[in-house]
Amino acid sequence: MYIKKILLAIVLIGLVVAAFFANFVYKAMLKPNTAFNNEIAYILVPSNATYQEVREQLEPLLEDIDSFDDLAEQKKYTTHVKAGKYAIKKGMTNNDIINSIRSKNIPIKVSFNNQETLEKLAGRIAKQVEADSVTLLKAMKEGAFLNKHGFNEVTALGMYLPNSYEFFWNTSGESFRARMLKEYNRFWNDTRKNKAKALNLSQNEVIALASIVYEESKKVAEQPRIAGVYLNRLKIGMPLQADPTLKFAAYKLPKYKNTVIKRVLNIHKDIESPYNTYKNTGLPPGLIAMPDISAVDAVLNYEKHKYLYFAADAKRLGFHKFAKTLAQHNANAREYHRYLSSQGIRK
């Protein structure tokens, strides 16, 4: 009888332990443990984050944070946190959640266009990834990197081709820079390189000219014709006389800080700057803005014609009138200047 009692006690204890274990398994691994109503929630885990930091993000999303803690410790997630953006779907169990935040880093779309400077580009990217603008800008301006790949600080912006790209949220400044270099090299395939060579222009020079073309016109259909005008001028040694370069030079001066130049005047043509294409022949030392890819291709596939001049069209705003002679150009320019004056635009 005594032995039977001992065996019975052992069985009962085993059943209790089994029940406890089964309850633990159910609560920790099989029971849904989300507390939000949306179909999906996201957490952002920074690089070098501790489990406590992850826990703080998870706690308002879970019904039972303690059961999650237990399983996270059992699965050693508490000491192996991984940075990234992770999804938690409504109805997930603790096990599902841990599997998600351990190995399912979600790619995000990072987009940018027409950023005027590296500083503005860094600020734009910093709003979309973990790296801050200071870190990004430092990577973008690193001298050794620029020299190695044929850039300097005035041409570096040309490495960043405006588009949408897929990144992980925890991308570093160096990783972002490396990916953009890869995209730049992919863009400059043999076909584009050969077209640049035929123009007797380097890749940096093509992008510098494209930035002027883009600032002159956002009309994609018109960009190859404008590119043709500037290439015609370069061929005969004529100054580019590009108004956007004067604005770029002016905005670098304290006098024009926080101003908007709507009308280029003779005073702007006297600015001493390598970007003053009225005073200097050839291309400026670098790009004046980030051009769209359409403008780069417009230079490489420029329209062949005999135009040397163009002026904004007062009757079709956003478009231009082209001329082969200075007399015709002056007539076109006077018409547009009259329009500006009629609108009260004096400077």
Side-chain angles (χ1 to χ4, degrees):
M1 288 292 294
Y2 180 73
I3 293 175
K4 287 183 178 181
K5 289 181 179 180
I6 293 175
L7 291 174
L8 180 60
I10 291 172
V11 169
L12 290 174
I13 292 171
L15 289 173
V16 170
V17 171
F20 177 82
F21 181 73
N23 184 61
F24 169 79
V25 169
Y26 175 71
K27 288 180 65 178
M29 300 186 68
L30 302 177
K31 182 182 178 182
N33 191 27
T34 55
F36 51 88
N37 293 322
N38 295 335
E39 289 302 313
I40 193 165
Y42 297 96
I43 64 169
L44 297 173
V45 180
S47 298
N48 303 314
T50 64
Y51 175 69
Q52 183 60 33
E53 291 173 282
V54 179
R55 190 183 190 277
E56 288 172 2
Q57 290 192 60
L58 288 174
E59 188 165 9
L61 302 176
L62 305 185
E63 288 185 351
D64 183 358
I65 190 65
D66 293 331
S67 67
F68 182 86
D69 288 337
D70 291 339
L71 188 61
E73 187 170 351
Q74 287 288 326
K75 299 191 75 170
K76 295 183 171 50
Y77 176 77
T78 54
T79 54
H80 293 83
V81 171
K82 295 187 178 180
K85 179 179 181 180
Y86 300 100
I88 301 172
K89 297 179 181 178
K90 183 179 179 180
M92 271 187 165
T93 66
N94 289 330
N95 194 55
D96 295 332
I97 296 168
I98 291 172
N99 288 341
S100 178
I101 63 178
R102 169 179 279 166
S103 60
K104 296 179 181 179
N105 195 357
I106 300 172
I108 61 172
K109 287 288 185 182
V110 173
S111 61
F112 60 91
N113 63 350
N114 314 130
Q115 305 301 305
E116 297 172 353
T117 63
L118 288 174
E119 286 77 7
K120 290 183 178 180
L121 175 61
R124 167 73 175 153
I125 302 304
K127 294 177 181 179
Q128 302 176 73
V129 301
E130 178 187 11
D132 61 33
S133 59
V134 173
T135 300
L136 286 160
L137 187 60
K138 182 179 178 181
M140 292 174 183
K141 287 189 171 184
E142 185 187 345
F145 173 85
L146 295 178
N147 291 335
K148 179 180 179 180
H149 298 289
F151 298 100
N152 55 46
E153 282 206 23
V154 298
T155 62
L157 186 63
M159 193 188 87
Y160 300 89
L161 301 174
N163 210 330
S164 292
Y165 302 95
E166 202 170 74
F167 281 92
F168 288 118
W169 174 78
N170 54 308
T171 294
S172 66
E174 289 79 6
S175 296
F176 175 76
R177 178 187 69 186
R179 169 68 182 283
M180 289 297 93
L181 177 63
K182 182 178 179 180
E183 296 293 339
Y184 175 87
N185 289 332
R186 180 182 289 124
F187 174 81
W188 281 103
N189 54 31
D190 289 341
T191 299
R192 287 191 173 98
K193 286 179 180 178
N194 289 335
K195 288 180 178 180
K197 187 176 181 180
L199 294 173
N200 199 29
L201 296 176
S202 68
Q203 292 169 200
N204 284 333
E205 288 172 330
V206 168
I207 292 181
L209 181 53
S211 72
I212 298 173
V213 171
Y214 184 75
E215 289 301 293
E216 290 283 16
S217 178
K218 304 302 187 289
K219 305 295 184 183
V220 174
E222 197 180 60
Q223 289 172 352
R225 179 167 290 189
I226 292 175
V229 171
Y230 285 129
L231 288 167
N232 285 346
R233 291 180 181 180
L234 286 174
K235 288 175 185 175
I236 64 174
M238 176 181 174
L240 294 183
Q241 298 180 338
D243 288 354
T245 65
L246 289 186
K247 292 181 180 180
F248 181 83
Y251 290 143
K252 288 184 172 293
L253 302 176
K255 177 180 178 180
Y256 295 99
K257 187 177 181 180
N258 299 323
T259 64
V260 177
I261 300 172
K262 295 182 178 180
R263 187 170 183 171
V264 171
L265 305 173
N266 286 332
I267 189 174
H268 300 128
K269 297 176 184 179
D270 291 329
I271 293 173
E272 291 295 335
S273 168
Y275 290 90
N276 184 338
T277 56
Y278 278 80
K279 283 193 169 190
N280 304 294
T281 57
L283 289 163
L287 63 169
I288 60 172
M290 179 184 288
D292 272 1
I293 289 174
S294 66
V296 180
D297 281 335
V299 173
L300 296 174
N301 301 283
Y302 70 99
E303 182 181 316
K304 296 178 176 62
H305 54 62
K306 294 184 179 180
Y307 295 124
L308 285 173
Y309 308 95
F310 62 93
D313 190 338
K315 295 179 180 178
R316 289 199 313 155
L317 297 181
F319 290 89
H320 296 81
K321 286 186 173 182
F322 295 81
K324 297 176 183 177
T325 67
L326 181 58
Q328 182 58 56
H329 169 66
N330 287 338
N332 293 337
R334 283 194 296 271
E335 181 181 358
Y336 186 65
H337 289 155
R338 284 195 295 270
Y339 164 76
L340 291 177
S341 296
S342 72
Q343 300 299 307
I345 299 174
R346 305 291 179 182
K347 60 181 180 177

